[in-house]
PDB file of all heavy atoms in Angstrom:
ATOM      1  N   ILE B  52     -20.203  -5.209  16.227  1.00  0.00           N
ATOM      2  CA  ILE B  52     -18.934  -5.831  16.577  1.00  0.00           C
ATOM      3  C   ILE B  52     -18.608  -5.480  18.012  1.00  0.00           C
ATOM      4  O   ILE B  52     -18.628  -4.299  18.393  1.00  0.00           O
ATOM      5  CB  ILE B  52     -17.815  -5.413  15.588  1.00  0.00           C
ATOM      6  CG1 ILE B  52     -16.509  -6.113  15.925  1.00  0.00           C
ATOM      7  CG2 ILE B  52     -17.682  -3.915  15.489  1.00  0.00           C
ATOM      8  CD1 ILE B  52     -15.476  -6.027  14.804  1.00  0.00           C
ATOM      9  N   THR B  53     -18.363  -6.462  18.814  1.00  0.00           N
ATOM     10  CA  THR B  53     -18.128  -6.237  20.234  1.00  0.00           C
ATOM     11  C   THR B  53     -16.823  -6.891  20.665  1.00  0.00           C
ATOM     12  O   THR B  53     -16.459  -7.970  20.190  1.00  0.00           O
ATOM     13  CB  THR B  53     -19.284  -6.792  21.089  1.00  0.00           C
ATOM     14  OG1 THR B  53     -19.486  -8.170  20.763  1.00  0.00           O
ATOM     15  CG2 THR B  53     -20.554  -6.029  20.846  1.00  0.00           C
ATOM     16  N   GLN B  54     -16.153  -6.209  21.567  1.00  0.00           N
ATOM     17  CA  GLN B  54     -14.912  -6.708  22.132  1.00  0.00           C
ATOM     18  C   GLN B  54     -15.078  -6.930  23.631  1.00  0.00           C
ATOM     19  O   GLN B  54     -15.783  -6.185  24.304  1.00  0.00           O
ATOM     20  CB  GLN B  54     -13.780  -5.703  21.903  1.00  0.00           C
ATOM     21  CG  GLN B  54     -13.420  -5.493  20.450  1.00  0.00           C
ATOM     22  CD  GLN B  54     -12.274  -4.514  20.288  1.00  0.00           C
ATOM     23  OE1 GLN B  54     -12.358  -3.560  19.538  1.00  0.00           O
ATOM     24  NE2 GLN B  54     -11.170  -4.752  20.999  1.00  0.00           N
ATOM     25  N   SER B  55     -14.397  -7.956  24.120  1.00  0.00           N
ATOM     26  CA  SER B  55     -14.397  -8.176  25.558  1.00  0.00           C
ATOM     27  C   SER B  55     -13.063  -8.773  25.989  1.00  0.00           C
ATOM     28  O   SER B  55     -12.435  -9.503  25.223  1.00  0.00           O
ATOM     29  CB  SER B  55     -15.545  -9.120  25.956  1.00  0.00           C
ATOM     30  OG  SER B  55     -15.395 -10.374  25.308  1.00  0.00           O
ATOM     31  N   PRO B  56     -12.617  -8.418  27.195  1.00  0.00           N
ATOM     32  CA  PRO B  56     -13.200  -7.396  28.068  1.00  0.00           C
ATOM     33  C   PRO B  56     -12.894  -5.996  27.560  1.00  0.00           C
ATOM     34  O   PRO B  56     -12.117  -5.827  26.629  1.00  0.00           O
ATOM     35  CB  PRO B  56     -12.493  -7.659  29.405  1.00  0.00           C
ATOM     36  CG  PRO B  56     -11.145  -8.159  28.997  1.00  0.00           C
ATOM     37  CD  PRO B  56     -11.367  -8.984  27.756  1.00  0.00           C
ATOM     38  N   ARG B  57     -13.485  -4.981  28.148  1.00  0.00           N
ATOM     39  CA  ARG B  57     -13.159  -3.600  27.784  1.00  0.00           C
ATOM     40  C   ARG B  57     -11.857  -3.155  28.443  1.00  0.00           C
ATOM     41  O   ARG B  57     -11.098  -2.366  27.872  1.00  0.00           O
ATOM     42  CB  ARG B  57     -14.280  -2.659  28.208  1.00  0.00           C
ATOM     43  CG  ARG B  57     -15.571  -2.805  27.430  1.00  0.00           C
ATOM     44  CD  ARG B  57     -15.407  -2.396  25.961  1.00  0.00           C
ATOM     45  NE  ARG B  57     -14.741  -1.137  25.779  1.00  0.00           N
ATOM     46  CZ  ARG B  57     -15.329   0.049  25.883  1.00  0.00           C
ATOM     47  NH1 ARG B  57     -16.616   0.126  26.173  1.00  0.00           N
ATOM     48  NH2 ARG B  57     -14.645   1.157  25.689  1.00  0.00           N
ATOM     49  N   TYR B  58     -11.617  -3.663  29.632  1.00  0.00           N
ATOM     50  CA  TYR B  58     -10.406  -3.335  30.377  1.00  0.00           C
ATOM     51  C   TYR B  58      -9.853  -4.613  30.986  1.00  0.00           C
ATOM     52  O   TYR B  58     -10.606  -5.470  31.438  1.00  0.00           O
ATOM     53  CB  TYR B  58     -10.707  -2.325  31.498  1.00  0.00           C
ATOM     54  CG  TYR B  58     -11.319  -1.041  31.009  1.00  0.00           C
ATOM     55  CD1 TYR B  58     -12.703  -0.899  30.946  1.00  0.00           C
ATOM     56  CD2 TYR B  58     -10.527   0.016  30.599  1.00  0.00           C
ATOM     57  CE1 TYR B  58     -13.274   0.271  30.488  1.00  0.00           C
ATOM     58  CE2 TYR B  58     -11.093   1.202  30.135  1.00  0.00           C
ATOM     59  CZ  TYR B  58     -12.465   1.310  30.082  1.00  0.00           C
ATOM     60  OH  TYR B  58     -13.018   2.476  29.616  1.00  0.00           O
ATOM     61  N   LYS B  59      -8.511  -4.711  30.971  1.00  0.00           N
ATOM     62  CA  LYS B  59      -7.874  -5.902  31.526  1.00  0.00           C
ATOM     63  C   LYS B  59      -6.510  -5.529  32.065  1.00  0.00           C
ATOM     64  O   LYS B  59      -5.738  -4.828  31.396  1.00  0.00           O
ATOM     65  CB  LYS B  59      -7.731  -6.978  30.434  1.00  0.00           C
ATOM     66  CG  LYS B  59      -6.996  -8.231  30.852  1.00  0.00           C
ATOM     67  CD  LYS B  59      -7.857  -9.109  31.729  1.00  0.00           C
ATOM     68  CE  LYS B  59      -7.141 -10.400  32.076  1.00  0.00           C
ATOM     69  NZ  LYS B  59      -7.950 -11.260  32.983  1.00  0.00           N
ATOM     70  N   ILE B  60      -6.248  -5.996  33.289  1.00  0.00           N
ATOM     71  CA  ILE B  60      -4.913  -5.865  33.865  1.00  0.00           C
ATOM     72  C   ILE B  60      -4.390  -7.271  34.076  1.00  0.00           C
ATOM     73  O   ILE B  60      -5.084  -8.109  34.665  1.00  0.00           O
ATOM     74  CB  ILE B  60      -4.942  -5.083  35.196  1.00  0.00           C
ATOM     75  CG1 ILE B  60      -5.493  -3.680  34.968  1.00  0.00           C
ATOM     76  CG2 ILE B  60      -3.543  -5.008  35.795  1.00  0.00           C
ATOM     77  CD1 ILE B  60      -5.689  -2.879  36.246  1.00  0.00           C
ATOM     78  N   THR B  61      -3.186  -7.536  33.614  1.00  0.00           N
ATOM     79  CA  THR B  61      -2.605  -8.860  33.766  1.00  0.00           C
ATOM     80  C   THR B  61      -1.144  -8.728  34.147  1.00  0.00           C
ATOM     81  O   THR B  61      -0.544  -7.652  34.029  1.00  0.00           O
ATOM     82  CB  THR B  61      -2.765  -9.681  32.478  1.00  0.00           C
ATOM     83  OG1 THR B  61      -2.429 -11.047  32.747  1.00  0.00           O
ATOM     84  CG2 THR B  61      -1.852  -9.166  31.383  1.00  0.00           C
ATOM     85  N   GLU B  62      -0.583  -9.818  34.596  1.00  0.00           N
ATOM     86  CA  GLU B  62       0.815  -9.803  35.012  1.00  0.00           C
ATOM     87  C   GLU B  62       1.717 -10.296  33.894  1.00  0.00           C
ATOM     88  O   GLU B  62       1.307 -11.117  33.055  1.00  0.00           O
ATOM     89  CB  GLU B  62       0.995 -10.677  36.252  1.00  0.00           C
ATOM     90  CG  GLU B  62       0.280 -10.120  37.477  1.00  0.00           C
ATOM     91  CD  GLU B  62       0.456 -11.035  38.675  1.00  0.00           C
ATOM     92  OE1 GLU B  62       0.749 -12.237  38.477  1.00  0.00           O
ATOM     93  OE2 GLU B  62       0.280 -10.551  39.809  1.00  0.00           O
ATOM     94  N   THR B  63       2.933  -9.851  33.906  1.00  0.00           N
ATOM     95  CA  THR B  63       3.929 -10.305  32.942  1.00  0.00           C
ATOM     96  C   THR B  63       4.038 -11.826  32.975  1.00  0.00           C
ATOM     97  O   THR B  63       4.081 -12.432  34.058  1.00  0.00           O
ATOM     98  CB  THR B  63       5.292  -9.685  33.280  1.00  0.00           C
ATOM     99  OG1 THR B  63       5.176  -8.258  33.237  1.00  0.00           O
ATOM    100  CG2 THR B  63       6.354 -10.114  32.292  1.00  0.00           C
ATOM    101  N   GLY B  64       4.056 -12.414  31.795  1.00  0.00           N
ATOM    102  CA  GLY B  64       4.203 -13.850  31.679  1.00  0.00           C
ATOM    103  C   GLY B  64       2.890 -14.619  31.603  1.00  0.00           C
ATOM    104  O   GLY B  64       2.880 -15.801  31.241  1.00  0.00           O
ATOM    105  N   ARG B  65       1.809 -13.983  31.924  1.00  0.00           N
ATOM    106  CA  ARG B  65       0.514 -14.666  31.876  1.00  0.00           C
ATOM    107  C   ARG B  65      -0.026 -14.686  30.453  1.00  0.00           C
ATOM    108  O   ARG B  65       0.286 -13.821  29.633  1.00  0.00           O
ATOM    109  CB  ARG B  65      -0.483 -13.996  32.799  1.00  0.00           C
ATOM    110  CG  ARG B  65      -0.167 -14.170  34.277  1.00  0.00           C
ATOM    111  CD  ARG B  65      -1.410 -13.958  35.099  1.00  0.00           C
ATOM    112  NE  ARG B  65      -1.138 -14.135  36.517  1.00  0.00           N
ATOM    113  CZ  ARG B  65      -1.496 -15.215  37.195  1.00  0.00           C
ATOM    114  NH1 ARG B  65      -2.141 -16.200  36.590  1.00  0.00           N
ATOM    115  NH2 ARG B  65      -1.236 -15.303  38.474  1.00  0.00           N
TER     116      ARG B  65
END
Side-chain angles (χ1 to χ4, degrees):
Chain B
I52 182 165
T53 54
Q54 295 181 232
S55 60
R57 291 294 312 279
Y58 302 92
K59 176 75 177 178
I60 300 174
T61 191
E62 294 179 338
T63 301
R65 291 201 179 256

